[in-house]
Amino acid sequence: RKEVEQDPGPFNVPEGATVAFNCTYSNSASQSFFWYRQDCRKEPKLLMSVYSSGNEDGRFTAQLNRASQYISLLIRDSKLSDSATYLCVVKVLTGGGNKLTFGTGTQLKVEL
Amino acid sequence: NAGVMQNPRHLVRRRGQEARLRCSPMKGHSHVYWYRQLPEEGLKFMVYLQKENIIDESGMPKERFSAEFPKEGPSILRIQQVVRGDSAAYFCASSLGRWGETQYFGPGTRLLVL
């Protein structure tokens, strides 16, 4: 079983739509959670951290359910520029420090 | 304020050659991480280094791969006797500290082994 699992998609949605991505993680010792965005053949960029209380950044809302080991990302009013792969990322703090574990990503295509 | 820099951006090697990938962290960052992204797969952690120390190399293949982060100069990921399966994007990230710090990624080096 993968440590972080995501539906690979692609999700094809019209501009203005609301779309939700889900992610599950297997390591109950995971302590920090993030959504990264990766554009084609480029480096991942931090979109937002995810907290148990839920957090919002403009059109993006992230939720964490520790009991279910489940993370979600909601994008409202999708823009063409939102087209990218969205990576669910968890961090387990170990003696070694700060290692990130990535899901394989969910591809989003926003269309006119 | 320059971000994480990696070079070369693209590297082509024939089987059996050596590949050297360089990473210069963000200014003031002393923690460097290397990740590998195989085609159609997610990023996988390889190694975490501080200046002159390897902190966690649990993701490094046991043979042919090595990494260093000397007191002066960039971090180097070295792959000896490359094979076709080493073809991938290699991303470097840096952070300010060890615990709970955001990792900022470089643009990656795309290695193609012929």
Side-chain angles (χ1 to χ4, degrees):
Chain A
R1 184 185 172 189
K2 292 180 181 176
E3 290 187 65
V4 179
E5 299 227 38
Q6 295 181 251
D7 180 345
F11 284 61
N12 298 316
V13 302
E15 209 175 8
T18 296
V19 62
F21 304 140
N22 304 318
C23 164
T24 58
Y25 60 95
S26 60
N27 189 338
S28 58
S30 299
Q31 295 181 288
S32 301
F33 308 88
F34 311 91
W35 284 100
Y36 275 73
R37 170 190 170 134
Q38 186 175 29
D39 292 277
C40 187
R41 301 183 65 75
K42 295 196 173 176
E43 74 272 25
K45 292 186 178 176
L46 178 65
L47 182 65
M48 57 197 304
S49 300
V50 189
Y51 305 109
S52 296
S53 55
N55 49 301
E56 187 174 310
D57 182 1
R59 297 181 293 108
F60 299 84
T61 301
Q63 291 276 355
L64 166 65
N65 185 321
R66 283 186 183 272
S68 303
Q69 296 183 193
Y70 171 93
I71 306 163
S72 66
L73 177 68
L74 183 77
I75 306 175
R76 290 181 299 278
D77 189 22
S78 301
K79 311 289 185 195
L80 293 174
S81 56
D82 293 335
S83 297
T85 297
Y86 290 83
L87 307 173
C88 179
V89 184
V90 304
K91 181 162 65 179
V92 178
L93 294 182
T94 67
N98 206 5
K99 178 171 67 179
L100 299 180
T101 301
F102 287 79
T104 51
T106 299
Q107 189 178 9
L108 172 65
K109 295 180 181 178
V110 181
E111 302 162 332
L112 285 171
Chain B
N1 185 17
V4 178
M5 300 179 70
Q6 290 188 248
N7 68 83
R9 296 289 301 275
H10 300 273
L11 183 61
V12 179
R13 285 287 178 266
R14 297 193 180 279
R15 280 179 296 169
Q17 291 184 318
E18 178 178 287
R20 283 190 179 229
L21 288 59
R22 295 175 196 79
C23 169
S24 296
M26 284 181 73
K27 188 176 181 180
H29 288 192
S30 59
H31 300 253
V32 166
Y33 315 80
W34 285 94
Y35 295 84
R36 176 166 68 173
Q37 187 171 31
L38 294 168
E40 308 303 323
E41 292 191 18
L43 279 80
K44 295 280 195 294
F45 168 81
M46 299 181 76
V47 63
Y48 163 40
L49 311 103
Q50 280 183 268
K51 287 281 188 182
E52 301 184 276
N53 286 303
I54 296 175
I55 306 301
D56 181 353
E57 57 182 344
S58 59
M60 285 279 269
K62 296 288 184 245
E63 298 177 347
R64 302 186 297 107
F65 285 72
S66 62
E68 62 176 8
F69 189 15
K71 188 175 180 181
E72 301 291 338
S75 175
I76 307 282
L77 179 67
R78 182 182 178 207
I79 311 172
Q80 295 178 287
Q81 299 171 355
V82 295
V83 301
R84 288 217 174 111
D86 296 333
S87 296
Y90 292 82
F91 290 99
C92 166
S94 73
S95 69
L96 191 59
R98 178 185 286 201
W99 309 110
E101 298 285 347
T102 299
Q103 294 183 24
Y104 297 89
F105 283 80
T109 294
R110 276 153 188 84
L111 172 65
L112 175 62
V113 179
L114 301 176

